[in-house]
Amino acid sequence: MREDMKAVIADTFSQMLDKEDIDKITVTKLIGECHISRQTFYYHFKDIMDVLEWTFKRATEELVQRSLKAEDNIVALKEFAIFIRQNRTKLERLLYSRRWVEIENLLTEAAVAYLAEMARNKVPEISLSFDELEIMLKFYACGMVGVLMQYMVKPHLDEEKLIIQIEKIITGKMFPGKVS
């Protein structure tokens, strides 16, 4: 029951975020929309930012699971593109909030989780140190999230072409061969 109420609060928060900036969403407004007491809210969350973090963390964990179940890299990357497209309004509202850096980190960590699993499954013989792998994953994840965020706001985007290009970069097909 506790997780259900937590999900109700998070889902209501998410719906509110579709309509207004995060800085205008207060605990009072949220508990009014949820028809719950202040005590119930504080039993589950510390504050609005805690709701935001929990909501996005849950959403990005689901995103990672869907991407890992995808039949190939293209389908997996489409999951990320779909997530960003479906949450575009929320992401744009959050872009100028005080917590944007944290949201961007959650998206990047979701991409890191997907890429790490992809590397483990597709390239098990990868010979990189932990530090090298960490930097590589973070680099590709930041690039992937950044490019998707930049391009998803374009009205006439060829999403399929963008996904194919990102996949080529991630898998090394765009720049084959060794660079010294």
Side-chain angles (χ1 to χ4, degrees):
M1 182 66 178
R2 277 192 294 201
E3 280 301 309
D4 291 345
M5 181 50 67
K6 202 166 187 169
V8 166
I9 295 168
D11 292 342
T12 303
F13 170 79
S14 185
Q15 292 165 5
M16 291 174 74
L17 196 54
D18 278 332
K19 300 176 196 138
E20 57 189 305
D21 292 338
I22 188 166
D23 298 327
K24 294 184 180 179
I25 299 174
T26 63
V27 172
T28 302
K29 278 185 178 180
L30 182 55
I31 64 175
E33 289 287 322
C34 293
H35 308 290
I36 60 171
S37 69
R38 189 171 287 278
Q39 182 180 2
T40 300
F41 174 84
Y42 285 113
Y43 178 79
H44 295 286
F45 295 103
K46 294 184 295 192
D47 55 24
I48 290 292
M49 290 305 134
D50 192 26
V51 179
L52 173 67
E53 186 176 322
W54 191 86
T55 303
F56 264 82
K57 192 169 185 88
R58 181 179 68 156
T60 55
E61 285 170 357
E62 291 169 2
L63 167 63
V64 169
Q65 291 309 309
R66 284 192 312 275
S67 67
L68 291 174
K69 291 176 185 171
E71 60 202 48
D72 61 34
N73 294 337
I74 297 293
V75 175
L77 289 168
K78 280 183 185 177
E79 288 292 337
F80 280 88
I82 290 166
F83 178 85
I84 288 175
R85 186 175 0 95
Q86 287 176 341
N87 291 288
R88 188 174 130 200
T89 302
K90 289 179 189 92
L91 292 169
E92 286 174 346
R93 289 184 186 284
L94 292 168
L95 184 60
Y96 300 107
S97 79
R98 293 168 278 168
R99 300 298 276 233
W100 172 248
V101 172
E102 292 168 49
I103 297 305
E104 189 176 40
N105 284 338
L106 288 171
L107 289 170
T108 302
E109 288 308 312
V112 166
Y114 161 70
L115 293 170
E117 196 61 34
M118 186 179 88
R120 268 192 289 282
N121 293 336
K122 308 269 192 257
V123 194
E125 72 282 350
I126 196 164
S127 60
L128 296 174
S129 71
F130 178 79
D131 291 340
E132 291 170 328
L133 183 61
E134 183 180 38
I135 292 295
M136 181 190 73
L137 291 172
K138 193 66 90 170
F139 178 82
Y140 280 125
C142 287
M144 188 173 107
V145 169
V147 166
L148 287 171
M149 289 296 296
Q150 290 289 314
Y151 280 87
M152 286 299 138
V153 297
K154 296 187 183 257
H156 304 293
L157 172 69
D158 184 347
E159 189 175 295
E160 189 75 26
K161 182 178 177 183
L162 176 64
I163 297 298
I164 290 168
Q165 290 171 330
I166 291 172
E167 193 266 346
K168 284 181 178 179
I169 292 168
I170 290 171
T171 58
K173 294 175 192 166
M174 187 169 281
F175 303 106
K178 296 189 180 209
V179 179
S180 334

